[in-house]
Amino acid sequence: MDSNAPLEDKIKQIEDRVKAAHLPADLLEKLTEEISVLRLSLKGDPSAGSGLFINFENFSNYVNTILSLPFDKETKDILDLNSAKTILYKNHYGLPTVKNLILEYLSTLILNINNQNNNARSPIICLTGLVGTGKTTLASSIAEALGRKFERIPLGGMGDASDLRGKSRGVVDAEPGLVIKSLIQSQSKNCVILLDELDRITDSGRKDIMGVLVELLDPEQNKAFRDHYIDYPFSLQNVIFMATANNLSSLATAVLDRLEIIHMPSYNDEEKTVIGRDFVLPKTMKATGLLPEQLQIDASV
């Protein structure tokens, strides 16, 4: 009995999955060639044993990643400014100036989407302000208003550009970067991706990471974004990127040039009281399983 028969069966299963998937022609050709090489290795050295199995496992993981990419999956946009306004006011208290700027931004987006104008993209907004002013939740509300999936990439403490761009299949800990992982997680090629805490990238990796961010935030470059693990250009043209930062002084000029800065004001004590009572407390009670009648806090408290 051929000891490699089970491995041959697994290679055949992968081949069938690749053929059944609706992949771009050149990517399909690339995978087909790799399958042929894997088969030749199996036939050429029956004693290869564990080494061949490791190659198969690595290729299998790679194919699984490719087949998980949303090449032709996207959500249907909600192009309704009145609905967007309702969501912004439902999720956030105050901030009338910021909300008006967000509605202007959404108006431009909606016009471009309606006119199928991919060249005149809305600027990428960057919400700046102190911790706790609602930057991340406001970005999430914009995604909700458009009916798009929302993904967050935390940049705080990031020190290696490969975290964004992925690691080549030639290294031991090969894996796709956070951009590709976000697309796979959302299963939508037109999701909203928040680049959170741009200013908290470590000094050691700042230059390389800023270089990747310039590519991500430039519509002329991100239409063929190449993750090192995937090693195939994937279009990010339909993705809406947003960013947050506490301070802009550490950001590269090339990155700042691609951002529309919206400053988030701090809340006063009266506003904080309303937010705590009407927004934070109900969510906290729901999360802990408490009913409204089981916990009541006096207004003076």
Side-chain angles (χ1 to χ4, degrees), residues 132-179:
T133 50
K135 299 185 293 294
T136 303
T137 51
L138 190 57
S140 175
S141 293
I142 292 172
E144 182 184 346
L146 287 169
R148 295 194 178 198
K149 300 289 183 67
F150 178 74
E151 295 294 330
R152 171 181 167 269
I153 295 178
L155 297 176
M158 184 179 290
D160 191 339
S162 65
D163 290 339
L164 283 176
R165 198 187 278 283
K167 298 179 181 178
S168 170
R169 292 163 62 196
V171 302
V172 176
D173 54 349
E175 63 175 347
L178 290 171
V179 176

Side-chain angles (χ1 to χ4, degrees), residues 15 70 136 139-140 165 219 223 269 277:
E15 185 177 39
T136 303
S140 175
R165 198 187 278 283
K223 61 185 177 184
D269 288 345
R277 182 191 68 213

Side-chain angles (χ1 to χ4, degrees), residues 84-141:
K85 184 176 181 179
T86 300
I87 289 170
L88 288 176
Y89 278 86
K90 177 192 74 174
N91 294 342
H92 300 271
Y93 176 74
L95 305 175
T97 303
V98 172
K99 287 174 180 173
N100 285 336
L101 289 172
I102 295 294
L103 289 172
E104 287 180 17
Y105 166 79
L106 289 173
S107 299
T108 305
L109 265 181
I110 289 170
L111 282 172
N112 282 330
I113 292 170
N114 277 332
N115 296 331
Q116 296 182 336
N117 183 3
N118 292 323
N119 295 319
R121 298 283 297 276
S122 287
I124 293 142
I125 65 171
C126 178
L127 302 169
T128 66
L130 298 176
V131 175
T133 50
K135 299 185 293 294
T136 303
T137 51
L138 190 57
S140 175
S141 293

Side-chain angles (χ1 to χ4, degrees), residues 15-217:
E15 185 177 39
D16 291 342
R17 289 176 61 207
V18 168
K19 287 180 178 179
H22 301 290
L23 298 176
D26 51 346
L27 180 56
L28 177 59
E29 183 180 350
K30 169 184 165 72
L31 294 178
T32 302
E33 287 177 1
E34 292 203 36
I35 290 171
S36 298
V37 171
L38 203 58
R39 278 211 172 96
L40 286 174
S41 301
L42 188 64
K43 292 177 181 178
D45 187 4
S47 63
S50 61
L52 183 58
F53 184 77
I54 290 171
N55 286 340
F56 169 77
E57 284 295 302
N58 291 339
F59 180 66
S60 177
N61 292 336
Y62 175 68
V63 170
N64 287 337
T65 302
I66 292 290
L67 298 183
S68 299
L69 282 169
F71 285 101
D72 54 0
K73 296 178 182 177
E74 62 182 357
T75 53
K76 184 174 175 58
D77 288 316
I78 299 172
L79 307 177
D80 185 341
L81 269 185
N82 289 325
S83 173
K85 184 176 181 179
T86 300
I87 289 170
L88 288 176
Y89 278 86
K90 177 192 74 174
N91 294 342
H92 300 271
Y93 176 74
L95 305 175
T97 303
V98 172
K99 287 174 180 173
N100 285 336
L101 289 172
I102 295 294
L103 289 172
E104 287 180 17
Y105 166 79
L106 289 173
S107 299
T108 305
L109 265 181
I110 289 170
L111 282 172
N112 282 330
I113 292 170
N114 277 332
N115 296 331
Q116 296 182 336
N117 183 3
N118 292 323
N119 295 319
R121 298 283 297 276
S122 287
I124 293 142
I125 65 171
C126 178
L127 302 169
T128 66
L130 298 176
V131 175
T133 50
K135 299 185 293 294
T136 303
T137 51
L138 190 57
S140 175
S141 293
I142 292 172
E144 182 184 346
L146 287 169
R148 295 194 178 198
K149 300 289 183 67
F150 178 74
E151 295 294 330
R152 171 181 167 269
I153 295 178
L155 297 176
M158 184 179 290
D160 191 339
S162 65
D163 290 339
L164 283 176
R165 198 187 278 283
K167 298 179 181 178
S168 170
R169 292 163 62 196
V171 302
V172 176
D173 54 349
E175 63 175 347
L178 290 171
V179 176
I180 291 296
K181 286 181 178 178
S182 296
L183 290 167
I184 292 173
Q185 177 67 28
S186 70
Q187 282 299 290
S188 169
K189 68 178 183 180
N190 66 339
C191 60
V192 173
I193 295 180
L194 175 67
L195 302 167
D196 207 8
E197 299 183 315
L198 279 181
D199 56 323
R200 291 192 58 216
I201 297 167
T202 63
D203 292 337
S204 60
R206 188 179 308 280
K207 182 179 178 181
D208 290 340
I209 293 173
M210 288 293 165
V212 178
L213 291 176
V214 168
E215 181 179 347
L216 284 177
L217 303 178

